[in-house]
């Protein structure tokens, strides 16, 4: 019996070890690719003629679609920032997804909108639309009021009304940098192949100063939780995604700020409501649709277009957010599981999908399990010291290398944190977030996986303090 | 056990390595910070040192040779960059040549050319550039063993940056470099060259750009069609003469892009002045009216209308009339859009016919075009709206009435009386019966004049919505005058109607 238990622990430890090895090897490879592509992009940006793009009549129009549900605190600031965005031709479509607060009233009062009965043709499926609000003197803004149906449903309503060939999804609590949309559009204009997705970087706005819908002073947030999230976002957006993009196997583009080709999305059936992360699902759906129909297409991820968003400020909210992301990831990989290891989908099917399914989606349970089982097996004498050290090193030590590396990449390319003190804290938190924070997030993710297997489908609401409330007003600057 | 101990020491070594690498990263981060700080300090000091020289040079107070002698002292990278940026910031069409000569004199052009083309080619190109030679027409990319390597971004990006600087020289000097760059294997470098050609608008670049466009049309170019078209669109009305030969290109998509580029150029010019046929080269004018309107490719005909509208003469009217009744809906759509100009008032009956077009986009465009004609156009539109039984046409007209703010005119017409009032009332009634009453309800709620308010209330009563009944209730409670009386009587009528309906069921 004793031997059987020891053997069981051996197997478990071997699985955890293999998981850590695979994860770290893949991350290292991605790090190399990212380092190359981000550095090259940063150098190319020296000759990025965004002013030409702004003046060119050839630049395609874009519809900025903002799904909003009970966002009365932030919606006016967000819309103002979107209307200020530098772009030759844009339409801002706010989709009020059955809000029970004063989201619509705020917009109507601020922009002097009038209720109208406009033509609406439902191509992508969505819940019934109640009303349209429009101001003939401000023709670049439309508000749609509809029955609550979730973010994907709201996006579908938005793309049904949009007239531009491209649309950009924007979260209602996000602030977009003035040149960000131009930078997102640049690879689309420059590509000789139809670019159906162009994703950008999302940054954490906590601690920054906002004035008239723009971030005017970039600072690190004060709390350790938010600082750890800043490091995590930098690592994700500068290492993970550019790496997969380099391999032309993008699987995730943040829905907070992502440009998509309207016609292709409509042909693929629009956003799906059967997952809680419609942004991940649409990417997989588009890959599938284009490959099946032998379309030549491209998805790009650019590291300099910046969208600022508010991160959860408490452990409880962070837990909700991460559980939802993990649940959505699980739903997406399971929905598209026929793509896994399918050569028909190229590197997407052979590398990206398996990695996201087995390492990112399910793997977190192994990591979470390992966090408990490894110290336990070592303490009961079922694991040699050397193996224990090896696993600890893989779990903690190597992670710091990736995190500090991403801060280095940020510092050498984007340099969004001008203060030396902030950079020092970034490096410090890059080292310490691997001890404690990462394990905590892994637990939340594992809960998300459990939720999936227990059949939970609900959207866990993350309540923010609100962009206006968290940032200094003009007088305080 | 020995193995385990070895492994443990290995892990410790690995840990030490990771920590060292982290420390190295940290040191590098702070080194970068310091280096950048120093760079910007040097740049700022160079700026303050050379501002006077640059402004004196730009004001023509000192010669090119003198400026070169004074700016030669700038030797570090930061100083180079500062001088380059200051000169480029002051560059305009009048001083571009002198500024370029300073760049030649300071050796910057030589340095950029070496980075972009290598030492050997740079020397020859430099000589040709100084002689202001025009570039060869062929833009075929030669293939060598090194082509795949040269295509890599690692090597292409520095060439692109250097070419970007070369492209900023005066057009006569830059042309040789940007034309030569079209032979580069990397698409990024060629894209920079194409963008520079567009910015410089050198006539010699037009055939090269059309060559690139043709390659893109034939799917043989890794530089996008949009990039090349953007460059061509930068040209002005004066350059249109060079576009004429391509109007009869055997490739129909090529003809389409030529016509579309001319359209963009003309539209750009029309933002600043009212164009007429004399602003276009005679050959181009003839090519549009004789060939483009009869082109076998519908897309060419469609885009031709948008250029022809700028001609503003009898032939243009005739050509647009023909296009308005073209067999292809895309052509009709663009022709209707092209007629959104008061000069073409005689085409209003033709546009009215398009209100019953088989394609909704044409109908929509016709509605917008007629609305753009002011009161005469919108009255025609209202009459058609009241008379038509076509649901889709009616919907499109109501959409335009709402979106373009014509509702305010309708409400204003209700106050005036006469024929306009009758027409406005008929429009309001039809909109209500179609269920498009939100905006009229808001108007009824917000109006202060009693007469149009009562009329609107009568119209809205034809199909009362909950929103309207709520408005009536508010008016009934707050207004003691005739409007309040009307509201109360209408509410009573609505209640009786509801009771009668309940009784029937």
């Amino acid at each position: 019996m004793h031997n059987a238990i020891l053997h069981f622990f051996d197997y478990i430890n071997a699985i955890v070890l293999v998981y850590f090895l695979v994860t770290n090897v893949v991350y290292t490879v991605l790090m190399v690719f990212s380092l190359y592509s981000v550095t090259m992009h940063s150098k190319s940006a020296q000759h990025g003629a965004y002013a030409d793009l702004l003046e060119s009549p050839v630049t395609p129009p874009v519809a900025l679609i903002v799904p909003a549900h009970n966002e009365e605190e932030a919606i006016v600031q967000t819309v103002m920032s979107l209307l200020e965005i530098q772009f030759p031709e844009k339409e801002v479509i706010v989709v009020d997804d059955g809000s029970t607060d004063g989201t619509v009233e705020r917009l109507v009062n601020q922009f002097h909108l009038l209720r109208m009965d406009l033509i609406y043709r439902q191509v992508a499926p969505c819940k019934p639309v109640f009303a349209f609000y429009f101001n003939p003197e401000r023709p670049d803004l439309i508000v749609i009021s509809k029955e609550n149906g979730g973010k994907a449903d709201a996006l579908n309503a938005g793309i049904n009304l949009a007239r531009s060939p491209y649309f950009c999804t924007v979260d209602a609590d996000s602030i977009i940098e003035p040149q960000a949309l131009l930078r997102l559009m640049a690879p689309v204009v420059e590509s000789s192949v139809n670019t159906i997705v162009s994703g950008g970087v999302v940054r954490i706005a906590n601690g920054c100063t906002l004035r008239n819908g723009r971030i005017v002073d970039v600072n690190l947030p004060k709390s350790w939780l938010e600082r750890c999230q800043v490091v995590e976002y930098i690592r994700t957006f500068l290492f993970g995604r550019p790496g997969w993009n380099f391999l032309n196997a993008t699987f995730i583009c943040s829905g907070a700020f992502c440009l998509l080709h309207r016609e292709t999305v409509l042909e693929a059936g629009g956003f799906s409501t059967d997952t809680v992360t419609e942004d991940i699902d649409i990417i997989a759906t588009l890959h599938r649709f284009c490959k099946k129909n032998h379309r030549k297409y491209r998805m790009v991820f650019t590291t300099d277009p910046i969208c600022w968003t508010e991160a959860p400020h408490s452990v409880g909210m962070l837990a909700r957010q991460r559980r939802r992301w993990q649940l959505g990831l699980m739903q997406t990989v399971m929905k598209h599981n026929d793509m896994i290891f399918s050569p028909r989908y190229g590197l997407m099917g052979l590398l990206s999908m398996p990695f996201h399914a087995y390492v990112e989606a399910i793997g977190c349970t192994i990591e979470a399990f390992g966090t408990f089982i490894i110290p336990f097996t070592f303490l009961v004498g079922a694991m040699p010291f050397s193996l224990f050290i090896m696993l600890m090193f893989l779990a903690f030590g190597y992670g710091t290398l990736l995190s500090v590396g991403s801060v280095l990449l940020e510092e050498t390319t984007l340099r969004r944190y001008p203060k030396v003190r902030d950079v020092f804290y970034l490096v410090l938190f890059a080292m310490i977030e691997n001890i404690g924070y990462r394990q905590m997030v892994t637990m939340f993710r594992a809960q998300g996986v459990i939720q999936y297997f227990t059949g939970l489908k609900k959207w866990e609401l993350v309540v923010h303090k609100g962009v206006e409330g968290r940032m200094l007003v003009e007088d305080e600057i | 056990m020995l193995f385990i101990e070895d492994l443990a020491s290995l892990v410790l070594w690995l840990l030490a390595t990771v920590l060292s690498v982290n420390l190295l990263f940290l040191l590098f981060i702070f080194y970068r910070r310091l280096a950048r700080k120093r760079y910007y300090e040097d740049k700022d000091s160079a700026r303050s040192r050379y501002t006077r020289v640059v402004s004196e040079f730009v004001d023509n107070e000192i010669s090119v040779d003198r400026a070169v002698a004074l700016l030669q002292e700038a030797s570090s990278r930061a100083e180079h960059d500062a001088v380059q940026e200051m000169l480029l910031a002051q560059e305009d069409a009048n001083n571009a040549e002198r500024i370029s000569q300073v760049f030649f004199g300071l050796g910057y052009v030589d340095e950029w050319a070496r980075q972009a083309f290598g030492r050997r080619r740079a020397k020859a190109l430099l000589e040709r550039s100084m002689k202001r030679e025009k570039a060869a027409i062929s833009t075929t990319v030669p293939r060598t063993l090194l082509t795949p390597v040269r295509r890599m971004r690692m090597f292409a990006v520095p060439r692109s940056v250097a070419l970007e600087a070369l492209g900023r020289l005066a057009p006569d000097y830059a042309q040789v470099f940007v034309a030569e760059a079209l032979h580069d294997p990397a698409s990024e470098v060629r894209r920079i060259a194409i963008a520079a050609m567009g910015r410089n608008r050198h006539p010699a670049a037009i055939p090269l750009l059309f060559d690139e466009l043709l390659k893109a049309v034939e799917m043989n170019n890794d530089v996008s069609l949009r990039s090349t078209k953007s460059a061509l669109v930068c040209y002005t009305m004066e350059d249109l003469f060079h576009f004429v030969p391509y109007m009869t290109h055997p490739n129909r998509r090529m003809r389409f892009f030529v016509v579309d580029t001319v359209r963009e150029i003309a539209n750009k010019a029309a933002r600043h002045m009212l164009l007429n046929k004399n602003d276009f080269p005679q050959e181009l004018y003839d090519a549009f009216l004789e060939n483009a309107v009869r082109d076998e490719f519908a897309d060419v005909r469609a885009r031709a209308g948008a250029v022809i509208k700028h001609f503003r003469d009898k032939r243009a009217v005739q050509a647009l009339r023909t296009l308005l009744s073209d067999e292809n809906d895309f052509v009709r759509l663009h022709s209707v859009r092209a007629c959104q100009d008061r000069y073409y008032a005689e085409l209003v009956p033709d546009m009215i016919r398009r209100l019953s077009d088989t394609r909704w986009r044409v109908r929509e465009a016709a509605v917008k075009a007629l609305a753009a004609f002011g009161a005469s156009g919108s009255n025609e539109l209202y009459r058609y709206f009241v008379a038509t039984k076509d649901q889709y046409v009616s919907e499109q007209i109501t959409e335009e009435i709402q979106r373009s703010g014509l509702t305010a005119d309708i409400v204003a017409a209700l106050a005036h009386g006469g024929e306009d009032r009758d027409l406005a009332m008929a429009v309001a009634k039809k909109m209500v019966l179609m269920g498009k009453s939100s905006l009229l309800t808001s108007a009824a709620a917000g109006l202060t004049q009693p007469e149009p308010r009562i009329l609107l209330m009568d119209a809205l009563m034809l199909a009362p919505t909950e929103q309207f009944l709520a408005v009536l209730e508010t008016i009934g409670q707050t207004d003691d005058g005739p409007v309040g009386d009307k509201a109360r009587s209408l509410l009573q009528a609505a209640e009786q109607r509801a009771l009668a309906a309940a009784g029937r069921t």
Side-chain angles (χ1 to χ4, degrees):
Chain A
M1 183 64 187
H2 182 251
N3 275 346
I5 290 170
L6 284 180
H7 268 107
F8 173 73
F9 281 137
D10 278 350
Y11 282 124
I12 293 293
N13 292 333
I15 289 169
V16 175
L17 183 65
V18 167
Y19 168 80
F20 276 122
L21 280 172
V22 170
T23 311
N24 287 327
V25 166
V26 175
Y27 280 141
T28 309
V29 174
L30 289 176
M31 184 168 98
V32 174
F33 290 150
S34 301
L35 204 65
Y36 176 73
S37 57
V38 174
T39 313
M40 285 300 122
H41 177 76
S42 155
K43 286 194 171 162
S44 295
Q46 289 175 36
H47 57 70
Y50 301 114
D52 294 350
L53 213 59
L54 184 63
E55 284 160 19
S56 170
V58 179
T59 308
V62 170
L64 293 140
I65 303 177
V66 190
H69 177 74
N70 292 346
E71 296 281 0
E72 67 173 352
E73 290 300 321
I75 193 71
V76 171
Q77 285 276 14
T78 305
V79 172
M80 273 166 68
S81 88
L82 295 180
L83 292 170
E84 293 281 305
I85 263 183
Q86 294 172 10
F87 204 77
E89 216 181 317
K90 61 177 188 283
E91 47 178 342
V92 178
I93 301 173
V94 181
V95 187
D96 170 56
D97 191 32
S99 294
T100 49
D101 65 353
T103 303
V104 175
E105 287 74 21
R106 284 260 179 132
L107 289 168
V108 166
N109 294 335
Q110 178 72 31
F111 300 103
H112 309 292
L113 304 174
L114 297 164
R115 187 174 168 167
M116 292 188 187
D117 306 296
L118 304 178
I119 294 177
Y120 173 76
R121 293 180 176 85
Q122 188 165 317
V123 186
C126 68
K127 291 270 171 71
V129 169
F130 304 138
F132 302 95
Y133 297 88
F134 184 76
N135 179 353
E137 284 169 21
R138 185 144 225 170
D140 49 353
L141 173 66
I142 296 185
V143 176
I144 310 175
S145 186
K146 65 178 275 292
E147 193 182 304
N148 182 261
K151 197 176 166 190
D153 200 75
L155 285 168
N156 281 344
I159 54 176
N160 283 337
L161 195 78
R163 292 181 168 216
S164 310
Y166 286 88
F167 69 93
C168 182
T169 60
V170 182
D171 277 359
D173 57 357
S174 300
I175 301 294
I176 312 289
E177 288 197 352
Q179 270 208 339
L181 193 57
L182 278 177
R183 287 168 187 266
L184 215 54
M185 185 51 90
V188 176
V189 172
E190 288 161 10
S191 171
S192 53
V193 180
N194 186 16
T195 304
I196 55 170
V197 175
S198 177
V201 173
V202 177
R203 283 295 172 87
I204 289 176
N206 305 33
C208 300
T209 310
L210 184 81
R211 190 192 291 167
N212 298 331
R214 282 191 192 179
I215 300 282
V216 289
D217 188 19
V218 178
N219 291 302
L220 268 189
K222 294 271 186 288
S223 86
W224 68 271
L225 187 70
E226 288 160 306
R227 284 180 177 178
C228 286
Q229 288 180 78
V230 171
V231 172
E232 195 187 5
Y233 270 56
I234 291 177
R235 195 178 55 224
T236 310
F237 282 98
L238 290 190
F239 267 162
R241 295 188 192 176
W244 287 115
N245 183 59
F246 182 84
L247 295 169
N248 207 9
T250 295
F251 183 71
I252 299 173
C253 264
S254 175
F257 187 47
C258 182
L259 186 83
L260 295 118
H261 188 234
R262 181 173 172 266
E263 202 183 308
T264 313
V265 171
L266 285 175
E267 280 181 306
F271 287 88
S272 165
T273 48
D274 54 9
T275 66
V276 293
T277 47
E278 77 301 324
D279 48 355
I280 309 179
D281 182 68
I282 193 72
I283 304 292
T285 306
L286 290 174
H287 272 297
R288 174 198 291 278
F289 173 80
C290 291
K291 291 280 184 193
K292 263 192 175 172
N293 293 287
H294 309 287
R295 298 266 178 96
K296 274 191 179 177
Y297 72 101
R298 196 171 156 233
M299 292 187 187
V300 291
F301 179 82
T302 320
T303 44
D304 54 357
I306 305 272
C307 158
W308 297 87
T309 191
E310 202 191 354
H313 53 274
S314 68
V315 174
M317 289 300 143
L318 179 73
R320 284 180 177 206
Q321 186 192 56
R322 297 311 159 94
R323 276 197 296 265
R324 172 159 56 79
W325 287 0
Q326 196 64 26
L327 175 65
L329 182 64
M330 279 299 298
Q331 288 169 332
T332 308
V333 293
M334 296 308 276
K335 182 179 167 187
H336 300 279
N337 61 14
D338 58 324
M339 286 168 76
I340 299 172
F341 292 121
S342 167
R344 184 181 185 179
Y345 299 99
L347 284 178
M348 179 71 197
L350 295 173
L351 275 180
S352 185
M353 275 297 281
F355 178 79
H356 283 94
Y358 297 117
V359 179
E360 292 284 4
I362 300 167
C364 64
T365 50
I366 301 172
E367 195 179 332
F369 190 59
T371 308
F372 288 114
I373 203 80
I374 289 167
F376 176 75
T377 46
F378 173 66
L379 288 174
V380 296
M383 179 192 278
F385 177 69
S386 56
L387 186 61
F388 176 69
I389 289 288
M390 173 71 94
L391 283 167
M392 288 295 112
F393 163 73
L394 284 172
F396 301 116
Y398 198 81
T400 67
L401 197 67
L402 296 173
S403 300
V404 179
S406 55
V407 174
L408 172 78
L409 195 56
E410 144 73 26
E411 180 56 23
T412 50
T413 55
L414 300 173
R415 290 183 296 277
R416 291 283 161 168
Y417 292 94
K419 298 180 183 79
V420 179
R421 190 191 56 194
D422 284 351
V423 178
F424 174 76
Y425 277 122
L426 275 180
V427 175
L428 185 70
F429 276 85
M431 290 199 219
I432 60 176
E433 62 112 26
N434 284 283
I435 306 159
Y437 174 78
R438 192 176 131 188
Q439 287 71 30
M440 181 176 74
V441 169
T442 305
M443 293 300 163
F444 301 147
R445 290 171 61 197
Q447 285 177 354
V449 177
I450 294 163
Q451 281 181 346
Y452 172 78
F453 284 110
T454 52
L456 191 102
K457 272 196 172 181
K458 72 167 185 183
W459 172 288
E460 288 198 80
L461 185 69
V462 180
V463 182
H464 294 303
K465 283 185 183 174
V467 178
E468 284 169 344
R470 286 185 66 80
M471 295 176 196
L472 295 173
V473 290
E474 196 166 348
D475 302 343
E476 293 175 87
I477 296 163
Chain B
M1 280 310 283
L2 191 67
F3 170 71
I4 290 166
E5 277 165 15
D6 285 350
L7 199 62
S9 73
L10 176 76
V11 167
L12 285 173
W13 271 109
L14 280 173
L15 204 60
T17 311
V18 165
L19 286 174
S20 316
V21 174
N22 276 345
L23 196 68
L24 210 66
F25 279 177
L26 188 67
L27 289 174
F28 187 70
I29 287 172
F30 287 103
Y31 161 75
R32 281 276 304 185
R33 283 259 153 173
L34 281 174
R36 288 186 64 77
K37 193 170 173 243
R38 210 178 308 131
Y39 169 83
Y40 284 113
E41 278 170 1
D42 284 357
K43 207 170 171 181
D44 287 343
S45 97
R47 266 200 205 108
S48 55
R49 237 179 305 145
Y50 298 117
T51 302
R52 200 168 149 203
V53 179
V54 170
S55 61
E56 279 177 358
F57 170 72
V58 170
D59 294 342
N60 247 332
E61 287 167 18
I62 56 172
S63 67
V64 170
D65 293 337
R66 178 80 186 129
V68 170
L70 290 169
L71 294 170
Q72 202 103 53
E73 292 163 21
S75 54
S76 69
R77 204 190 121 209
E79 288 172 334
H80 265 216
D81 291 351
V83 168
Q84 185 187 332
E85 280 169 22
M86 278 195 293
L87 285 169
L88 286 177
Q90 303 279 337
E91 194 180 41
D92 58 36
N94 301 321
N95 63 22
E97 199 161 316
R98 290 181 74 233
I99 287 178
S100 299
Q101 284 164 359
V102 172
F103 283 138
F104 274 107
L106 289 171
Y108 290 10
V109 181
D110 186 32
E111 192 187 319
W112 296 330
R114 268 189 280 130
Q115 277 172 11
F117 304 104
R119 193 175 294 274
R120 220 171 18 170
R121 275 163 74 206
K123 202 178 164 197
L125 287 170
L126 214 63
E127 279 171 20
R128 288 178 61 195
S129 168
M130 290 181 85
K131 284 185 210 160
R132 302 173 199 198
E133 274 184 25
K134 286 175 187 169
I137 292 294
S138 165
T139 59
T140 318
V141 178
R143 283 184 172 274
T144 62
L145 278 175
L146 280 177
T147 300
V149 180
R150 286 171 60 80
R151 233 183 237 150
M152 288 171 73
R153 280 195 90 188
M154 194 168 29
F155 302 108
V157 167
R159 294 205 303 279
S160 305
V161 174
L163 186 70
E164 171 74 11
L166 289 169
R168 300 265 168 199
L169 295 173
D172 280 347
Y173 293 119
Q175 180 55 25
V176 169
F177 295 114
V178 289
E180 185 67 15
L182 291 179
H183 298 284
D184 199 284
S187 63
E188 189 164 348
V189 179
R190 273 182 283 133
R191 188 172 50 74
I192 300 294
I194 286 169
M197 284 177 179
R199 263 197 314 273
N200 293 340
R201 297 198 301 268
H202 198 290
I206 293 176
L208 302 176
L209 287 172
F210 275 115
D211 209 16
E212 288 295 315
L213 188 71
L214 182 63
K215 280 199 281 178
V217 165
E218 290 171 344
M219 313 284 269
N220 265 334
N221 201 345
D222 47 9
V223 177
S224 79
L225 222 151
R226 279 199 186 109
S227 298
T228 314
K229 200 178 151 199
S230 293
L232 279 165
V233 167
C234 292
Y235 282 85
T236 59
M237 296 292 288
E238 290 76 41
D239 304 306
L240 287 182
F241 173 77
H242 301 282
F243 286 52
V244 178
Y246 302 96
M247 291 279 300
T248 49
H249 197 277
N251 186 314
R252 61 185 203 159
R253 285 197 69 215
M254 186 70 181
R255 289 199 303 277
F256 161 71
F257 283 112
V258 176
V259 170
D260 201 40
T261 306
V262 174
R263 176 183 70 93
E264 296 282 13
I265 293 169
N267 284 349
K268 200 168 57 177
R271 274 183 232 144
H272 309 291
M273 58 187 266
L274 198 65
L275 300 178
N276 63 49
K277 71 170 191 177
N278 298 325
D279 295 307
F280 293 84
Q282 182 65 37
E283 293 85 346
L284 193 86
Y285 172 82
D286 292 337
F288 267 94
L289 291 174
E290 282 158 23
N291 304 327
V293 288
R294 278 189 280 274
D295 199 287
E296 48 94 17
F297 190 35
D299 287 4
V300 173
R301 298 200 301 278
R303 293 287 194 251
V307 177
I308 290 169
K309 74 168 183 181
H310 295 294
F311 295 166
R312 295 165 173 275
D313 66 351
K314 288 280 166 212
R315 284 184 73 190
V317 173
Q318 198 46 48
L320 286 172
R321 184 168 283 138
T322 312
L323 291 172
L324 277 170
S325 51
D326 195 280
E327 57 181 20
N328 184 286
D329 58 297
F330 193 60
V331 179
R332 295 198 299 275
L333 166 73
H334 282 272
S335 313
V336 172
R337 284 181 183 166
C339 294
Q340 274 189 36
D341 186 325
R342 283 173 193 246
Y343 181 85
Y344 296 106
E346 64 182 285
L347 290 174
V348 166
D350 300 81
M351 280 187 270
I352 295 276
R353 272 195 288 279
R354 294 281 67 84
L355 285 173
S356 52
D357 200 281
T358 46
R359 299 284 174 173
W360 76 266
R361 292 190 70 190
V362 182
R363 297 197 297 267
E364 185 193 59
V367 171
K368 280 183 195 288
L370 282 166
F373 274 86
S376 61
S378 49
N379 277 349
E380 289 290 336
L381 193 65
Y382 297 152
R383 278 187 209 106
Y384 190 88
F385 174 63
V386 173
T388 187
K389 293 204 166 32
D390 189 321
Q391 187 201 336
Y392 296 110
V393 176
S394 304
E395 273 192 353
Q396 268 145 8
I397 296 175
T398 50
E399 165 110 348
E400 188 53 29
I401 288 172
Q402 293 177 89
R403 277 206 190 220
S404 59
L406 287 174
T407 322
D409 296 346
I410 293 170
V411 175
L414 288 175
H416 290 148
E419 204 184 316
D420 279 358
R421 175 193 281 180
D422 296 342
L423 187 59
M425 194 61 186
V427 171
K429 281 180 178 173
K430 184 159 182 184
M431 282 177 75
V432 171
L433 289 171
M434 286 173 65
K436 310 284 182 188
S437 58
S438 293
L439 200 50
L440 295 173
T441 308
S442 308
L447 269 175
T448 48
Q449 296 161 287
E451 202 182 353
R453 204 175 190 192
I454 290 172
L455 285 172
L456 258 185
M457 280 156 61
D458 275 334
L460 285 159
M461 201 55 201
L462 290 173
T465 58
E466 278 181 32
Q467 194 193 350
F468 173 59
L469 292 175
V471 168
L472 277 186
E473 216 166 287
T474 314
I475 297 173
Q477 285 163 3
T478 54
D479 196 307
D480 297 328
V483 179
D485 293 341
K486 180 78 181 176
R488 283 186 288 275
S489 72
L490 288 177
L491 267 175
Q492 219 170 11
E495 274 167 25
Q496 281 167 0
R497 227 191 272 180
L499 281 173
R504 274 200 300 274
T505 52

